[in-house]
Amino acid sequence: MAPETYGLISLFPAMLAIVLTLFTRQVLLSLFAGIWIGATVLVGWNPAAGAARSLQFVVDNVTEPFNVKLLLFTFLIGAMLGMIFLSGGMNALASQMVKRIRTRRQAALGTSLLGMTIFVDSYASTMITGSVMRPITDKFDISREKLAYILDSTTAPTASISVVSTWLGFEVGLIAEQLTTIGVDRSAFLLFLESIPYRFYSLLALAMVFIIVIADLDFGPMAKAERRAREEGKVLGDNADPLMETQEDDIVTPDHVDPRWWYFAAPIAALVGVTGFSLYYSGGGFAGRSLTDALSNAATADAIVWASFSACLVILTILVGHARIAVDEVSDAIFEGFKMVMFPVAVLSLAWSIGAVSQALGVGPYVVAISEGIITAGMLPAIIFLSAVIISFSIGTSWGTMGILFPVAIPLGHALGAPLAPAIAAILTGALFGDHCSPISDTTVMSSMFAASDHVDHVNTQIPYAVLAGIVATGLFLMAGYGVPAYVALPIGLAAVGSVTYLLSEQLSVEVPSSYGSKAD
């Protein structure tokens, strides 16, 4: 049966998994339930055959080369963190930074800026920013939900619009392919640059982080989480189940070790440095290609695996050579690090699988088919954006959403005579919405993981913020479709987001003390 014929049913597995996750808080069971229902539909409504097909979906996705490398990266990061916990380096660095960060606002703002500064790769940025800033935000009683939100809303949006990142090659490649298809002789990279001012959702999501942090505004579930953290000193809710524990009781720094801040900084520097070098090398930078061309052709998965392995070697050398910690203690810490990431690995594996089920059911073509019947040239950017939002939320992958929409939306836009830059931007930024809202998205999982936040709490607290940015972005895409320049539309959107955030915060979180600016206890 062709995927297009499944119609509305194609949305059901992902929606079921999402609803069950939010209501039962059982992430793994909810994800597998969605996979099983979708697989059962694919095999002709035979539940037993559906169970077998479900397992095959998991096997296929876990063994997909890029995913295998991402899982290996996650395990290596777990090993690295286990060794860093053993060294005491993270606490030593946090102690040094707390001397300079004196307020809650500074801690939240520092997290936001660091998330944007490491723009080369969203995964690396999430891991590094979360690991560095979590002990500091904890000391200033910033909720883990707020930390996860800041990670999620600064790392991927920044990497997606950066001209030096692991996202660049994929995005430019999609643009170039469609330019060839429609017979347009233009530079894909220049068109990528032209689309940046129209990335309304990404830009508004970034702006909201700074509006909320600087003006001390929160609303909805996030206001309750922040009230709990400020008034009770609880960075996690009473019923929270962190996606990754920050430090296991079994990982204790030996008494003879004098923790140094550079025990943490050295492996992180190796991670960042080797990532950059590997991207440049694997993309042919040393063979004469420009920096942009090298990043466009880089082997992203290989680069982050090499980098994480190098970081493990650095901290291992420090532990054995400088801190003089016994090898058996190091081995135990590595094993505890593996244990810390086992649950995130399971979630990632099932999240990829349910995304594959949704694609097999034809959720992308179904959403596009619905949209095509009502599209005009002026409405095209907004319709594309909403389609990307629905698809990315349903399948939990921004890159998968881009791959689905580009072959349909760009030829359609060309046929309607619509400007290409806003249409391209609508796909690239709409695809991020699922990263921010869908509990089955890998970036949502990674943000929960390295913030050590309850995954469902992260999703619940972030959705209102993402929805606000999405609603305003939809209006801006309508304006852009009817000829309003980005430099006119974007300030209007920023004013709208700021005003609505202020109004909602006044109504919903007025009881939250304005304590940014006070010293941590």
Side-chain angles (χ1 to χ4, degrees), residues 170 174 177-178 359 395 397-408 427-428 431:
F170 182 74
L174 289 174
E177 182 180 359
Q178 293 311 309
Q359 292 190 54
I395 68 176
T397 164
S398 53
W399 285 24
T401 301
M402 295 174 195
I404 289 170
L405 277 178
F406 260 96
V408 177
I427 300 174
L428 298 179

Side-chain angles (χ1 to χ4, degrees), residues 86-119:
L86 181 66
S87 75
M90 188 177 293
N91 289 332
L93 178 64
S95 298
Q96 291 292 323
M97 294 185 70
V98 165
K99 295 177 183 178
R100 295 170 175 79
I101 296 177
R102 299 181 177 276
T103 67
R104 297 182 82 244
R105 177 184 284 115
Q106 289 176 357
L109 186 59
T111 304
S112 308
L113 293 173
L114 183 59
M116 293 184 65
T117 300
I118 308 172
F119 50 76

Side-chain angles (χ1 to χ4, degrees), residues 36 47-57:
W36 176 65
R53 187 72 180 91
S54 298
L55 296 176
Q56 190 59 50
F57 267 113

Side-chain angles (χ1 to χ4, degrees), residues 70-389:
L70 183 56
L71 293 180
L72 178 57
F73 163 77
T74 305
F75 276 116
L76 288 171
I77 290 299
M80 183 195 73
L81 290 177
M83 288 187 282
I84 288 175
F85 288 148
L86 181 66
S87 75
M90 188 177 293
N91 289 332
L93 178 64
S95 298
Q96 291 292 323
M97 294 185 70
V98 165
K99 295 177 183 178
R100 295 170 175 79
I101 296 177
R102 299 181 177 276
T103 67
R104 297 182 82 244
R105 177 184 284 115
Q106 289 176 357
L109 186 59
T111 304
S112 308
L113 293 173
L114 183 59
M116 293 184 65
T117 300
I118 308 172
F119 50 76
V120 173
D121 179 72
S122 56
Y123 291 142
S125 179
T126 300
M127 188 282 296
I128 294 169
T129 304
S131 299
V132 170
M133 299 305 298
R134 185 177 59 241
I136 298 170
T137 56
D138 280 358
K139 287 181 182 295
F140 286 91
D141 293 331
I142 295 174
S143 67
R144 294 277 178 80
E145 294 94 327
K146 173 64 77 64
L147 175 60
Y149 160 68
I150 294 174
L151 293 179
D152 218 351
S153 295
T154 56
T155 53
T158 302
S160 71
I161 61 177
S162 172
V163 295
V164 181
S165 80
T166 54
W167 290 58
L168 177 67
F170 182 74
E171 293 177 322
V172 172
L174 289 174
I175 296 171
E177 182 180 359
Q178 293 311 309
L179 289 178
T180 301
T181 299
I182 62 179
V184 173
D185 185 18
R186 294 185 62 182
S187 166
F189 180 68
L190 291 179
L191 196 50
F192 169 88
L193 295 178
E194 290 176 24
S195 75
I196 291 177
Y198 292 98
R199 309 280 188 93
F200 295 129
Y201 176 77
S202 301
L203 297 172
L204 292 177
L206 284 169
M208 276 192 69
V209 171
F210 289 95
I211 291 171
I212 287 167
V213 167
I214 294 173
D216 187 18
L217 299 174
D218 282 301
F219 59 87
M222 187 71 80
K224 297 178 182 178
E226 281 292 273
R227 183 184 298 117
R228 180 201 69 230
R230 296 183 188 198
E231 296 180 352
E232 302 176 38
K234 296 179 179 178
V235 296
L236 286 166
D238 292 332
N239 298 320
D241 183 14
L243 195 57
M244 183 180 76
E245 296 295 335
T246 55
Q247 183 167 357
E248 298 288 342
D249 292 337
D250 293 333
I251 308 180
V252 179
T253 304
D255 293 336
H256 74 275
V257 175
D258 180 20
R260 312 292 178 87
W261 66 267
W262 57 269
Y263 286 1
F264 176 85
I268 296 300
L271 183 75
V272 175
V274 176
T275 297
F277 174 84
S278 300
L279 290 171
Y280 187 70
Y281 172 79
S282 64
F286 292 104
R289 282 181 170 170
S290 66
L291 177 62
T292 299
D293 287 342
L295 289 173
S296 298
N297 292 278
T300 303
D302 291 335
I304 61 176
V305 169
W306 297 339
S308 55
F309 181 71
S310 300
C312 285
L313 288 180
V314 169
I315 184 61
L316 176 62
T317 302
I318 290 172
L319 290 177
V320 176
H322 191 272
R324 303 295 182 183
I325 297 177
V327 174
D328 59 341
E329 292 183 88
V330 176
S331 179
D332 290 342
I334 291 173
F335 182 71
E336 292 298 327
F338 287 157
K339 286 167 58 178
M340 284 191 293
V341 299
M342 280 303 298
F343 185 69
V345 163
V347 173
L348 278 174
S349 301
L350 295 184
W352 291 327
S353 301
I354 198 169
V357 168
S358 296
Q359 292 190 54
L361 287 168
V363 66
Y366 171 66
V367 172
V368 170
I370 294 175
S371 303
E372 284 180 343
I374 57 175
I375 288 180
T376 64
M379 296 173 63
L380 180 69
I383 296 296
I384 291 175
F385 174 72
L386 291 174
S387 298
V389 163

Side-chain angles (χ1 to χ4, degrees), residues 200 382 385-386 469-482 484 489 493:
F200 295 129
F385 174 72
L386 291 174
I471 291 172
V472 175
T474 302
L476 299 188
F477 277 116
L478 277 173
M479 296 171 62
Y482 286 99
V484 178

